[in-house]
Amino acid sequence: MEQTWIILGASSTMARALMQKLAEAGAGLVLAGRRMDDLQASASDALARGAALAEPVAFDARDPDSFQPVIDRALDQPGQINCAVFVGSMPPQAEIDADPGLLDGVIADSFTGPARFLQMLAPHLEARGSGTVVGVGSVAGDRGRIGNYVYGGAKGGFATYLSGLRNRLGRSGVHVLTVKPGPVDTAMTQGMEGLPFPTTAEAVAEDILAGVGRGRDVLYTRRIWWPIMLVIRAIPEHLFKKMSI
Amino acid sequence: MQGARRITYSGWGRVHRATGPVARPHAADAIDGTAPAFGNRRSYGDAPLNDGGGACDMTAQNRILAFDPRAGVLTAEAGVTLGTLARVLPARGWLPPVLPGTGFATLGGAVAMDVHGKNHHAAGSFCQHVTALTLVQNGQRRPVTPETDPALWAATCGGLGQTGVITQVTLQLAACPGDVMVVTERRVADWAEHIARLDASDAAYCVGWIDATASGAALGRGILEEAEVGRGLPPARPAPRRVPLDAPHWALSAPIVRAFNSLYYHRVPATGRTTVRPFDGFFFPLDRIHDWNKLYGRRGFHQFQCVVPPEQAEALRAMLAEIADSGLASPLAVLKRMGPGRAGYLSFPMGGYTLAVDFPNRAAARALIARLEDLTVAAGGRIYLAKDALATGDRVKAMYPDHPRWLSRVAAADPDGALETDMVRRLDLRRT
Ligand SMILES: Cc1cc2nc3c(=O)[nH]c(=O)nc-3n(C[C@H](O)[C@H](O)[C@H](O)COP(=O)(O)OP(=O)(O)OC[C@H]3O[C@@H](n4cnc5c(N)ncnc54)[C@H](O)[C@@H]3O)c2cc1C
Ligand SMILES: NC(=O)c1ccc[n+]([C@@H]2O[C@H](COP(=O)([O-])OP(=O)(O)OC[C@H]3O[C@@H](n4cnc5c(N)ncnc54)[C@H](OP(=O)(O)O)[C@@H]3O)[C@@H](O)[C@H]2O)c1
């Protein structure tokens, strides 16, 4: 069947890796994001690799008025519609501590913006009776840590939202995959030293496609993060509050 | 450069190492041309290294920016690999005009080494098919074509990245009238037959594998492989495998290599055979085993590759005899005919024959390679800098008569030496 993927945050490094693989498999792509010149370059790349369609559309997670045109562009296409969410922002916690006004933006980028978008898309997926939603959360969303608890809070909220969305859409044959990456070498982590168990955007994209293929619900990438987060989640709060991991 | 991480890295041969801040920019405008660039470090020696200084890893620059399926012209970022292009283009009727033996080579690395393929005798070198480049020189973006600045062009093609960081490459592709490679393999009994068959071949792609352990009357025996693009169903290719650990030092010892080579030789029936292979299986046979360089263990390995003029085939035979007698060679030994095609002052190719042989990194092998370099100079040939980790500046300058012209253009392009690499310093290339 024909497949069209809406890519929210198509200028993300991880999104690029996934789009390249989808394009080589002949899928159609709607590239949603803020930096139109970058989206245009990725659209050319996708077409050269064999994408059936590759169209940039302006999208800003903080501007809900930009959402409907993205959805409309995908609805123009026959066949199955899928959506992969890569938007997110992670300013240093210290900056947010110094300027609490930054908090709303972080939540909008990583949680409420994409959640509202998916809320608008959901009825259309239900109507078509098939499709996949891939939501990129983070291991940071599994526990509130001193180093980035606002970002973590947004990602945790998004993961909870996706869990509910899965419960709803599963009844109509639409699958929801939550992806929780550990550190990935991308624009977001540029120059950060000493990240534990790092991986690449290409490896994450491969894991996502494998997870979609197998109908997985929640996927940690690299896989080592699953047992690590199992342990971290199990630490009692009265101990965890004194730790700085 | 911004966003750099301090790492230790090496070339494919893993003999030289470098440590320093390496940036891997995701945004093209973050590339400022203040540090040397590298691709996938498939060069064997120290060409992609800058010990103690910074470097720019180009592999995140991996987008095809424009593709005209009618004219077969493609513009891409410099970190796009030739393997990617060989994978996605045939379905659209095109193929990169020149492919080296690894699909991991990036466009930037292919330009900076002016690489050659199994079709060099007919198609020439990689840069002869490149029609435009974008260089970044000290923060300045600069489009270049062979017409706008012929000297800068010739200093850039095969120029070891010393004229600027290459960010974009425009390539004229070759028409690809099929879906598979039709490959004919024949046993060749000895050196004379090997050379005669290479000379007689009119196949688009032609390469000889040599059993570098065979000596005496069998010296130069091997398998000649000739191939054309054809129509058909590509056979499935097995999933890639990985060498997980450094192998022990005896893994490629003389008895094992002799046994392996004999099996490999006899695998092809005495009457020869024709088979069909997928493009990547034909062009990049070794890429199927990831990290195969670990087979040589922690000490790493060398490849000696030289080219000599056609009338010096006898000198090449003498070199092969020394290699066979040394008992040091690995299974990887390749003999090719080369045409005259080359695009830059420091481009490797010249009309004649090229021989490439891998050796484990041991004192006896290093001494043998030094001797082979002397024989190469004496034969009026040259060694390939993409493979070199051992040569001296004097020898290399003697082999590359256009070095002074390269030097004067490089001095203008990078006056402060910001793009110098370990190889450039080892070979003292930035001085006469
Ligand atoms: C198994 C194997 C088979 C091979 N077969 C062949 C063959 O058949 N024919 C052949 O010609 N070669 C062959 N090679 C060599 C290989 O093609 C070259 O070394 C090539 O340059 C590797 O590309 P790379 O992207 O890894 O470049 P690197 O090794 O990372 O870099 C090579 C040089 O290019 C410079 N450079 C890289 N990118 C840029 C950039 N963007 N801007 C400026 N400078 C840059 C580096 O500074 C360095 O000097 C083979 C290598 C292997 C491992
Ligand atoms: N890298 C990691 O280690 C890591 C680990 C776990 C989870 N993640 C998550 O993985 C996802 C992809 O990130 P990445 O690592 O690939 O980094 P990235 O390249 O920085 O991607 C982040 C993307 O979010 C987009 N974005 C941010 N705010 C936006 C807004 N208001 N409207 C529209 N787009 C917006 C950015 O667009 P612009 O280009 O316009 O800025 C960019 O495309 C993110 O959700 C991130 O939180 C990353």
Side-chain angles (χ1 to χ4, degrees):
Chain A
M1 191 181 9
E2 285 171 67
Q3 304 247 348
T4 303
W5 283 79
I6 301 172
I7 309 290
L8 283 197
S11 60
S12 117
T13 309
M14 264 184 234
R16 186 194 292 184
L18 181 71
M19 291 190 299
Q20 292 185 332
K21 293 188 194 303
L22 291 172
E24 289 187 28
L29 299 173
V30 174
L31 296 83
R34 297 186 291 198
R35 291 190 290 128
M36 294 312 280
D37 53 340
D38 186 83
L39 300 190
Q40 194 54 60
S42 286
S44 303
D45 180 61
L47 289 174
R49 286 172 194 259
L53 163 99
E55 232 178 85
V57 185
F59 164 84
D60 184 339
R62 302 188 191 188
D63 173 16
D65 289 344
S66 69
F67 295 2
Q68 193 59 46
V70 178
I71 293 175
D72 290 343
R73 188 64 196 87
L75 290 178
D76 287 347
Q77 295 304 117
Q80 181 169 313
I81 294 179
N82 309 309
C83 180
V85 178
F86 291 95
V87 260
S89 63
M90 187 178 69
Q93 181 66 40
E95 280 179 25
I96 307 174
D97 293 343
D99 178 5
L102 290 176
L103 184 142
D104 300 286
V106 176
I107 308 273
D109 295 345
S110 301
F111 175 19
T112 54
R116 178 154 165 187
F117 181 92
L118 292 174
Q119 205 66 17
M120 292 165 66
L121 180 66
H124 302 291
L125 300 183
E126 286 173 323
R128 295 209 181 187
S130 70
T132 297
V133 173
V134 175
V136 176
S138 170
V139 293
D142 276 11
R143 195 95 203 229
R145 295 184 302 115
I146 188 165
N148 65 352
Y149 58 92
V150 169
Y151 172 75
K155 288 294 190 187
F158 189 47
T160 305
Y161 169 80
L162 289 172
S163 162
L165 188 69
R166 173 178 307 116
N167 205 317
R168 167 181 167 186
L169 293 182
R171 293 156 208 253
S172 314
V174 179
H175 177 62
V176 178
L177 168 66
T178 306
V179 182
K180 297 186 180 183
V184 188
D185 177 18
T186 68
M188 194 176 264
T189 53
Q190 193 88 59
M192 292 186 190
E193 304 261 2
L195 297 171
F197 303 111
T199 186
T200 62
E202 286 68 34
V204 169
E206 266 165 39
D207 283 357
I208 289 177
L209 287 178
V212 168
R214 284 195 215 110
R216 294 276 303 276
D217 295 322
V218 180
L219 180 144
Y220 286 85
T221 170
R222 297 160 67 171
R223 225 168 289 169
I224 179 86
W225 285 101
W226 179 75
I228 293 177
M229 295 318 294
L230 198 68
V231 171
I232 289 183
R233 277 199 314 266
I235 301 172
E237 193 68 15
H238 71 274
L239 293 177
F240 192 76
K241 71 181 179 190
K242 295 184 187 134
M243 300 168 71
S244 5
I245 48 174
Chain B
M1 280 192 70
Q2 264 198 323
R5 288 190 181 102
R6 205 179 158 73
I7 60 166
T8 296
Y9 56 104
S10 63
W12 188 243
R14 304 206 303 159
V15 171
H16 296 292
R17 264 161 234 281
T19 302
V22 173
R24 184 168 179 260
H26 297 274
D29 48 21
I31 300 162
D32 57 13
T34 57
F38 61 70
N40 270 318
R41 283 180 275 116
R42 265 10 190 224
S43 299
Y44 283 65
D46 47 4
L49 310 187
N50 189 20
D51 192 28
C56 181
D57 175 343
M58 296 293 287
T59 54
Q61 296 291 309
N62 62 358
R63 283 187 293 200
I64 300 167
L65 299 173
F67 170 54
D68 176 346
R70 287 230 182 90
V73 177
L74 171 139
T75 298
E77 294 175 334
V80 168
T81 67
L82 290 171
T84 298
L85 297 183
R87 184 173 70 242
V88 304
L89 293 175
R92 331 288 281 288
W94 300 97
L95 203 58
V98 169
L99 288 166
T102 174
F104 290 107
T106 64
L107 286 173
V111 170
M113 287 295 179
D114 194 10
V115 300
H116 57 271
K118 297 174 181 177
N119 58 354
H120 186 270
H121 54 286
S125 69
F126 188 80
C127 292
Q128 293 186 293
H129 305 269
V130 175
T131 56
L133 293 170
T134 304
L135 293 177
V136 178
Q137 302 172 322
N138 200 11
Q140 298 290 316
R141 228 142 280 265
R142 172 161 188 172
V144 200
T145 72
E147 293 77 35
T148 54
D149 191 338
L152 179 60
W153 187 263
T156 302
C157 297
L160 306 172
Q162 298 300 295
T163 59
V165 172
I166 301 157
T167 56
Q168 289 184 19
V169 177
T170 300
L171 188 61
Q172 173 63 58
L173 302 164
C176 174
D179 341 81
V180 291
M181 296 302 295
V182 179
V183 186
T184 299
E185 291 164 291
R186 283 194 188 85
R187 287 191 200 169
V188 283
D190 58 25
W191 176 262
E193 188 189 354
H194 222 134
I195 292 289
R197 283 205 186 262
L198 282 172
D199 286 345
S201 173
D202 57 3
Y205 299 91
C206 181
V207 59
W209 170 78
I210 284 201
D211 176 357
T213 61
S215 53
L219 183 75
R221 80 164 178 176
I223 294 166
L224 186 82
E225 203 178 86
E226 296 174 280
E228 307 277 352
V229 174
R231 287 190 186 282
L233 282 175
R237 211 174 175 225
R241 289 165 172 268
R242 184 174 290 278
V243 176
L245 295 170
D246 285 324
H249 61 88
W250 46 262
L252 288 167
S253 61
I256 293 185
V257 174
R258 248 195 314 277
F260 175 90
N261 281 7
S262 174
L263 280 174
Y264 194 82
Y265 179 76
H266 289 103
R267 172 190 66 108
V268 171
T271 49
R273 68 174 179 192
T274 297
T275 53
V276 159
R277 285 194 223 158
F279 289 109
D280 55 353
F282 172 73
F283 289 110
F284 318 126
L286 294 165
D287 288 356
R288 204 167 77 69
I289 302 168
H290 288 179
D291 298 340
W292 62 260
N293 51 353
K294 289 188 186 162
L295 286 174
Y296 288 89
R298 261 181 310 123
R299 286 180 290 184
F301 71 116
H302 295 284
Q303 182 170 104
F304 170 78
Q305 182 172 4
C306 71
V307 58
V308 298
E311 65 280 7
Q312 292 289 343
E314 194 46 37
L316 207 55
R317 198 194 64 83
M319 288 190 218
L320 184 63
E322 291 210 18
I323 293 167
D325 290 343
S326 75
L328 290 165
S330 82
L332 271 177
V334 170
L335 182 66
K336 274 188 279 208
R337 193 170 49 140
M338 271 196 152
R342 61 205 303 266
Y345 298 136
L346 295 191
S347 290
F348 168 67
M350 65 162 75
Y353 304 97
T354 174
L355 175 71
V357 187
D358 283 10
F359 298 99
N361 178 28
R362 286 197 241 135
R366 292 192 294 270
L368 173 63
I369 290 171
R371 164 111 185 99
L372 296 172
E373 285 166 1
D374 284 340
L375 294 173
T376 304
V377 177
R382 59 173 75 107
I383 60 161
Y384 190 9
L385 297 178
K387 312 294 174 70
D388 171 55
L390 295 170
T392 60
D394 291 346
R395 274 205 195 106
V396 167
K397 288 172 192 171
M399 297 168 178
Y400 285 89
D402 281 339
H403 172 257
R405 297 166 78 187
W406 176 82
L407 181 58
S408 74
R409 199 60 193 83
V410 164
D414 178 37
D416 302 329
L419 302 176
E420 281 182 12
T421 57
D422 289 356
M423 167 173 272
V424 166
R425 281 185 287 269
R426 173 171 58 85
L427 298 177
D428 200 22
L429 292 176
R430 298 284 296 257
R431 280 184 293 191
T432 45

